[in-house]
Amino acid sequence: MPFVATNRIVRQVSAACIALLFLLSAASPSVAQKDKKKKKDDAPAGNSAPLVPMSDEQQIDYNISSMLGAWQLGDVDRMHQYYADDVTVVNGLWAPPVIGWANYVPLYQQQHARMQRVRMDRTNTYIKVSGTVAWACYQWEFNGAVDGNNAAAQGQTTLVMEKRNGKWLIVHDHTSISPQSSAPVATPAHPATP
């Protein structure tokens, strides 16, 4: 008799454990979803901002890298996070400056539609901050395909930035293409080149 009672108790405890496990497994996804949603809600707006505080020079360097990454991908929304609406853009070709983000975007999109396998490497960056104004100059190398043909180009860019509402924005972008570049002259090589 004690053996039968023990088996019955074990079965009841096992059934209770199984029911408890079932309830916990059914509840855990919703708890995990709530935790995930809470973490997402607690995250700072705009994923472009790093979580670690940076000096102005570090923030500008980070912004340039992020902008160039977006430029390579053709992500104009992400690029716009780094450009002021009233930006002026001077390209490496003989062309008038482009005034304003709204005028720059269609030219950039035309250019980007012609490119594949885009790679832009930045070197020799110099950043100078003076109050709420800063400038950065750097050299770059472009490699990719333009209109289906391999293309390479080198050049320099100078960015003038202004700190507006605590955020560094590019207000002037001037790019020059080096004469020894192997890309055809009509091949734009930088976001500033429409």
Side-chain angles (χ1 to χ4, degrees):
M1 188 82 165
F3 180 72
V4 173
T6 305
N7 279 343
R8 192 177 326 152
I9 292 171
V10 168
R11 279 188 291 212
Q12 287 175 345
V13 169
S14 294
C17 286
I18 290 171
L20 182 62
L21 285 174
F22 177 75
L23 287 173
L24 288 176
S25 67
S28 65
S30 65
V31 169
Q33 271 185 331
K34 286 179 185 174
D35 285 346
K36 194 178 201 179
K37 184 178 184 329
K38 185 177 183 211
K39 286 179 186 175
K40 188 184 272 187
D41 291 343
D42 291 344
N47 294 333
S48 64
L51 298 176
V52 178
M54 294 187 204
S55 69
D56 285 331
E57 289 85 357
Q58 290 170 322
Q59 183 64 55
I60 289 167
D61 188 62
Y62 178 86
N63 288 358
I64 294 169
S65 293
S66 297
M67 177 274 293
L68 288 174
W71 181 84
Q72 291 176 77
L73 295 172
D75 188 343
V76 292
D77 293 330
R78 202 166 108 215
M79 281 174 57
H80 192 199
Q81 293 176 14
Y82 305 102
Y83 280 91
D85 287 332
D86 59 346
V87 66
T88 56
V89 181
V90 178
N91 66 39
L93 304 174
W94 184 254
V98 178
I99 311 296
W101 176 255
N103 294 321
Y104 171 70
V105 170
L107 298 173
Y108 164 75
Q109 288 174 324
Q110 259 180 350
Q111 167 194 348
H112 194 270
R114 299 174 51 214
M115 298 187 296
Q116 304 84 36
R117 298 184 319 274
V118 177
R119 181 180 171 130
M120 177 78 76
D121 294 316
R122 172 174 61 110
T123 58
N124 300 323
T125 303
Y126 172 74
I127 298 169
K128 174 70 174 158
V129 176
S130 182
T132 59
V133 176
W135 53 95
C137 45
Y138 57 89
Q139 293 174 301
W140 50 263
E141 289 188 38
F142 169 87
N143 286 292
V146 178
D147 297 330
N149 299 313
N150 289 337
Q154 296 177 318
Q156 303 178 100
T157 295
T158 299
L159 301 174
V160 178
M161 287 152 275
E162 187 178 356
K163 196 169 198 177
R164 297 179 179 175
N165 297 320
K167 184 176 176 183
W168 287 104
L169 293 174
I170 300 166
V171 295
H172 182 76
D173 182 333
H174 187 136
T175 295
S176 299
I177 297 174
S178 173
Q180 58 265 41
S181 292
S182 64
V185 174
T187 302
H190 183 270
T193 307

